[in-house]
């Protein structure tokens, strides 16, 4: 009987795969068979930043559902190749009307400056800068170009930096939801959205401080690139908004024109017979940088919320998360690779599970014990659990606008029995065992003993976090407690506090890794990425199990779908999923 049901399940799964996967494979195979032409002479790369970015290229071949496919690390990698490619003459950047993530904007700006330093032209085009969120970061990227264009009907409304928080305290009180949370300590502000109706003093203080740091950094960078004084640029920007013509007269932009006109100018600057190539097509044709040489530097990726497990259930369309088993295994694989002399661990995470964070940190310790230096490269976030896994590395590199720190912990539950009772729904609970067995039941509030036990666990986790920072950063534990308390800092602020060693991105982290591994600057080096990308067959096997008859039947498709061009098509679209549970070392939510 069991075999019968397994066979039925296999047939059912096979039908689903036949209906969904086979057509997809045929489309991909057709795309792959067409081939990617060599880069033509006098090429213009067109980089469209309007559809959103992830931090890293996904290793999941089925993550390509619902996104632009662009990643910050991918852009850095591709521009590093393009700056050395004699065929590529010009970069055309399409700017978003809303904001870019500040740290992503920092890293893209740095790549653009390196591209320009190679003697190449960058033209940026904007269809307006809207007064939302981090739009000042979009302007900063545009200001780094050789020329910044703006559409004639667009408005320049990048007059500052704004953020909003939703507080549910009054609503929960009105509708009978009891939010019972512990936080360590007053700056661990994620809890406030459930318990308060407005910013607390520490919440307002911390947010204002890091927002000001990001804003001032963006203004300073834009002023440097536009060759004007930062105070003068700040005064001009804050006196807006402006029409496109006014922005031109104030020298906030260089030219007014439609994007087609900017494209024509880019082609003219590229030279005779020039053509425009989509950034993703060029990236696919080049692939990831591999370098050359005897020695290698491992690049380990981690993006999203930190949680235990392998992530095997999220194959189809799953977003990015840092799974402790998979990430720790990637670090151990790099340790065991004799060619690897140092590890660059790219972290972009607002935090998550303390247990998962500690498992990953143990792998970092193992790498150092094996004589392989570990350099952290922080992306948008490396806060809370993201800082936990970074804390004991040899060196930490962060962007000025990276959100980091948040050395603290929170946890709790929602008691919803009263709220449901108002709708005639009665929630009741039963338990056996000790008093703590139903501590997290949503049907009743913590008992006095449960609350005391839970509070003690929060204290232990907080002290463990503080101890790891003190050990890794060589800061007296009393000082760590002063700068911790759950407070979020920017990378620039973190550097002054000793939480960060150097400002920069992946390029700077690789440079430091070479130095710590004693690899001469003039010696070629290879880049090895961990975890290695899964083939579609490996991903399918992970979901359905190697004993699934339906999955086994797809092995013939593995050859087609494992093709590098096929993987390039599949990996164009990325998504992000954040998840946390129980006691979490999780920072505030990402910026809009």
């Amino acid at each position: 009987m069991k075999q019968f049901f397994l066979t039925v399940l296999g047939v059912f799964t096979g039908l689903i795969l036949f209906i969904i996967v086979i057509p997809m494979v045929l489309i991909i195979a057709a795309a792959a068979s067409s081939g990617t032409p060599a880069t033509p002479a006098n090429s213009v790369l067109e980089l469209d930043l309007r559809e959103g970015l992830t931090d890293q290229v996904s290793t999941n071949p089925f993550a390509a559902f619902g996104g632009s496919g662009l990643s910050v690390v991918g852009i850095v990698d591709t521009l590093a190749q393009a700056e050395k490619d004699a065929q590529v003459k010009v970069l055309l950047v399409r700017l978003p009307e809303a904001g870019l993530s500040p740290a992503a904007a920092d890293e893209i700006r740095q790549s653009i400056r390196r591209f320009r330093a190679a003697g190449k032209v960058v033209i940026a085009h904007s269809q307006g800068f809207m007064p939302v969120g981090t739009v000042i970061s979009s302007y900063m990227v545009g200001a780094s170009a050789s020329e910044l264009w703006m559409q004639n009907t667009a408005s320049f409304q990048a007059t500052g930096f704004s953020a909003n928080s939703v507080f549910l305290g009054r609503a929960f009180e009105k509708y009978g939801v009891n939010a019972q949370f512990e936080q360590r300590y007053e700056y661990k502000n994620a809890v406030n959205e459930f318990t308060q109706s407005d910013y607390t003093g520490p919440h307002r203080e911390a947010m204002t401080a890091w927002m000001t740091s990001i804003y001032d950094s963006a203004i300073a960078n834009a002023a440097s690139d536009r060759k004007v004084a930062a105070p003068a640029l700040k005064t001009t920007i804050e006196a807006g908004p402006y029409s496109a013509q006014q922005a031109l007269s104030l020298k906030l932009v260089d030219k007014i024109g439609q994007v087609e006109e900017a494209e024509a100018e880019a082609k003219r600057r590229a030279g005779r017979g020039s053509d425009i190539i989509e950034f993703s097509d060029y990236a696919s044709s080049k692939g990831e940088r591999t370098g050359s040489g005897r020695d290698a530097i491992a690049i380990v990726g981690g993006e999203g919320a930190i949680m235990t497990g392998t992530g095997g259930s999220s194959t189809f369309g799953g977003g990015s998360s840092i799974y402790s088993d998979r990430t720790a295994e990637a670090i151990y694989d790099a340790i065991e690779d004799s060619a690897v002399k140092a590890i660059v661990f790219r972290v972009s995470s607002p935090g998550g599970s303390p247990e998962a964070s500690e498992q990953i940190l143990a792998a970092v310790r193992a790498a150092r014990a094996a004589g392989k230096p570990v350099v952290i490269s922080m992306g948008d976030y490396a806060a809370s659990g993201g800082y936990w896994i970074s804390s004991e590395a040899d060196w930490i590199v962060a962007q000025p606008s990276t959100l980091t720190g948040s050395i603290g912990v929170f946890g709790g539950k929602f008691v919803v029995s009263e709220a449901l009772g108002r709708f005639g729904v009665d929630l009741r609970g039963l338990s056996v065992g000790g008093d703590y067995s139903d501590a997290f039941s949503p049907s009743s509030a913590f008992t006095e003993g449960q609350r005391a036990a839970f509070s003690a666990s929060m204290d232990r986790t907080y002290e463990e976090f503080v101890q790891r920072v003190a050990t890794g950063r060589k800061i007296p534990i009393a000082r760590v407690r002063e700068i911790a308390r759950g407070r979020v800092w920017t990378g620039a602020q973190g550097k002054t506090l000793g939480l960060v060693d150097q400002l920069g991105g992946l390029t700077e982290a690789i440079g430091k890794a070479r130095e710590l591994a004693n690899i001469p600057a003039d010696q070629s080096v290879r880049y090895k990425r961990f975890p290695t990308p899964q083939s579609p067959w490996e991903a399918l096997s992970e979901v359905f199990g190697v004993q699934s008859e339906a999955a086994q039947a797809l092995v013939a498709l593995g050859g087609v779908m494992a093709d590098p061009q096929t993987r390039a098509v599949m990996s164009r679209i990325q998504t992000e999923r954040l998840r946390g549970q129980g006691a979490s070392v999780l920072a505030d939510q990402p910026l809009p």
Side-chain angles (χ1 to χ4, degrees):
M1 182 63 71
K2 180 181 178 181
Q3 184 60 45
F4 171 77
F5 283 115
L6 288 174
T7 303
V8 171
L9 179 61
V11 172
F12 179 72
T13 304
L15 288 173
I16 293 176
L17 294 175
F18 182 80
I19 294 170
I20 296 174
V21 176
I22 298 298
M24 180 177 66
V25 172
L26 293 175
I27 293 171
I28 294 170
S33 65
S34 65
T36 302
T39 306
N42 301 335
S43 291
V44 176
L45 287 187
E46 185 166 3
L47 172 60
D48 193 337
L49 299 175
R50 296 174 298 171
E51 297 181 9
L53 295 170
T54 58
D55 183 70
Q56 299 163 36
V57 178
S58 177
T59 60
N60 181 353
F62 293 109
F65 293 95
S68 71
L70 283 175
S71 70
V72 175
V73 170
I75 291 171
V76 171
D77 194 65
T78 301
L79 285 182
Q81 295 180 79
E83 70 185 52
K84 297 178 177 64
D85 188 341
Q87 308 292 81
V88 177
K89 306 295 186 184
V90 178
L91 174 68
L92 175 63
V93 181
R94 303 291 303 277
L95 297 170
E97 296 170 64
L100 281 170
S101 164
D106 281 340
E107 195 137 10
I108 292 169
R109 170 184 173 267
Q110 291 156 9
S111 291
I112 288 174
R113 286 176 58 83
R114 288 190 290 268
F115 187 87
R116 289 185 60 187
K120 304 192 178 190
V121 175
V122 180
I123 295 176
H125 186 274
S126 170
Q127 291 179 291
F129 297 101
M130 303 303 292
V132 291
T134 56
V135 67
I136 192 67
S137 296
S138 298
Y139 177 67
M140 180 189 71
V141 171
S144 69
S146 314
E147 292 181 1
L148 175 54
W149 288 53
M150 195 170 182
Q151 187 170 305
N152 60 320
T153 56
S155 298
F156 188 100
Q157 301 181 60
T159 60
F161 173 18
S162 65
N164 294 283
S165 301
V166 176
F167 294 95
L168 300 171
R170 287 196 307 121
F172 282 178
E173 183 179 357
K174 179 178 180 180
Y175 293 105
V177 177
N178 183 5
Q180 295 197 306
F181 282 85
E182 294 275 343
Q183 62 195 105
R184 299 292 183 274
Y185 279 98
E186 69 273 21
Y187 292 103
K188 201 68 176 176
N189 299 318
V191 173
N192 296 350
E193 297 183 357
F194 307 135
T195 61
Q196 305 294 322
S197 60
D198 198 354
Y199 297 103
T200 62
H203 193 171
R204 186 180 299 275
E205 174 193 351
M207 279 196 68
T208 301
W210 63 253
M211 288 175 66
T212 301
S213 177
I214 289 173
Y215 179 57
D216 288 347
S217 176
I219 291 289
N221 287 335
S224 174
D225 292 337
R226 301 288 297 173
K227 295 180 172 54
V228 297
L233 179 62
K234 185 176 182 180
T235 298
T236 300
I237 282 176
E238 292 179 357
Y242 304 111
S243 67
Q245 190 60 52
Q246 288 171 322
L248 178 64
S249 65
L250 292 168
K251 298 183 179 179
L252 294 172
V253 300
D254 298 301
K255 291 186 179 181
I256 294 176
Q258 300 295 328
V259 67
E260 291 79 10
E261 296 174 271
E263 289 174 340
E265 175 62 13
K267 292 172 70 173
R268 186 190 71 79
R269 299 284 289 272
R272 180 178 298 177
S274 61
D275 199 7
I276 293 177
I277 302 175
E278 287 188 18
F279 196 86
S280 57
D281 290 340
Y282 181 80
S284 296
S285 69
K286 290 296 182 182
E288 293 180 320
R289 277 186 298 173
T290 56
S292 61
R294 180 183 68 256
D295 296 334
I297 291 176
I299 300 176
V300 177
E303 178 178 6
I306 302 169
M307 59 192 71
T308 59
T310 63
S313 63
S314 60
T315 291
F316 290 103
S320 296
S321 296
I322 300 177
Y323 292 98
S324 58
D325 283 10
R326 181 163 288 176
T327 304
E329 182 182 10
I331 296 172
Y332 285 117
D333 286 345
I335 293 171
E336 294 170 4
D337 190 325
S338 60
V340 170
K341 305 305 179 185
I343 298 170
V344 173
F345 186 10
R346 175 72 173 202
V347 177
S348 187
S349 172
S353 161
E355 291 73 26
S357 299
E358 180 65 11
Q359 181 182 354
I360 295 168
L361 181 60
V364 171
R365 293 191 195 108
R368 297 186 66 192
K372 300 195 176 186
V374 179
V375 177
I376 300 295
S377 171
M378 294 182 170
D380 289 336
Y381 285 82
S384 211
Y387 195 81
W388 186 310
I389 66 179
S390 306
S391 59
E392 296 187 28
D394 293 274
W395 195 259
I396 295 178
V397 180
Q399 293 294 353
S401 299
T402 295
L403 294 185
T404 189
S406 194
I407 302 164
V409 60
F410 75 90
K413 67 175 182 177
F414 297 103
V415 181
V416 297
S417 53
E418 181 184 342
L420 293 175
R422 297 181 183 185
F423 295 93
V425 178
D426 297 314
L427 180 64
R428 302 288 186 264
L430 292 172
S431 68
V432 295
D435 177 61
Y436 201 72
S437 62
D438 66 344
F440 287 91
S441 168
S443 64
S444 59
F446 288 120
T447 66
E448 184 176 334
Q450 289 170 345
R451 190 73 184 234
F454 179 54
S455 180
S457 73
M458 293 289 98
D459 290 336
R460 285 194 299 273
T461 301
Y462 179 73
E463 288 303 318
E464 288 168 353
F465 198 169
V466 167
Q467 182 61 60
R468 280 145 184 76
V469 175
T471 300
R473 303 307 301 160
K474 297 179 174 59
I475 302 173
I477 199 163
R479 174 57 177 160
V480 176
R481 289 196 182 99
E482 289 177 9
I483 62 179
R485 308 192 70 81
R487 181 160 178 170
V488 173
W489 306 96
T490 63
Q493 293 169 325
K495 187 173 185 300
T496 65
L497 296 169
L499 298 176
V500 169
D501 295 301
Q502 180 181 353
L503 298 181
L506 185 62
T507 299
E508 287 72 24
I510 290 173
K512 186 63 181 182
R514 290 179 63 115
E515 177 187 330
L516 293 177
N518 297 314
I519 301 173
D522 59 353
Q523 179 179 316
S524 297
V525 68
R526 288 183 290 142
Y527 305 112
K528 302 188 74 172
R529 289 165 174 81
F530 299 86
T532 56
Q534 289 181 302
S535 71
W537 165 241
E538 290 170 331
L540 285 170
S541 296
E542 190 172 78
V543 172
F544 296 104
V546 294
Q547 299 192 10
S548 166
E549 296 177 10
Q552 288 281 11
L554 289 174
V555 70
L557 302 178
V560 175
M561 298 184 71
D563 182 89
Q565 295 178 358
T566 305
R567 288 204 306 270
V569 175
M570 292 296 295
S571 64
R572 286 189 179 186
I573 306 174
Q574 317 290 329
T575 57
E576 179 176 6
R577 174 167 57 93
L578 297 178
R579 187 181 78 186
Q581 59 185 18
S584 298
V585 281
L586 188 68
D588 297 331
Q589 292 303 301
L591 294 172

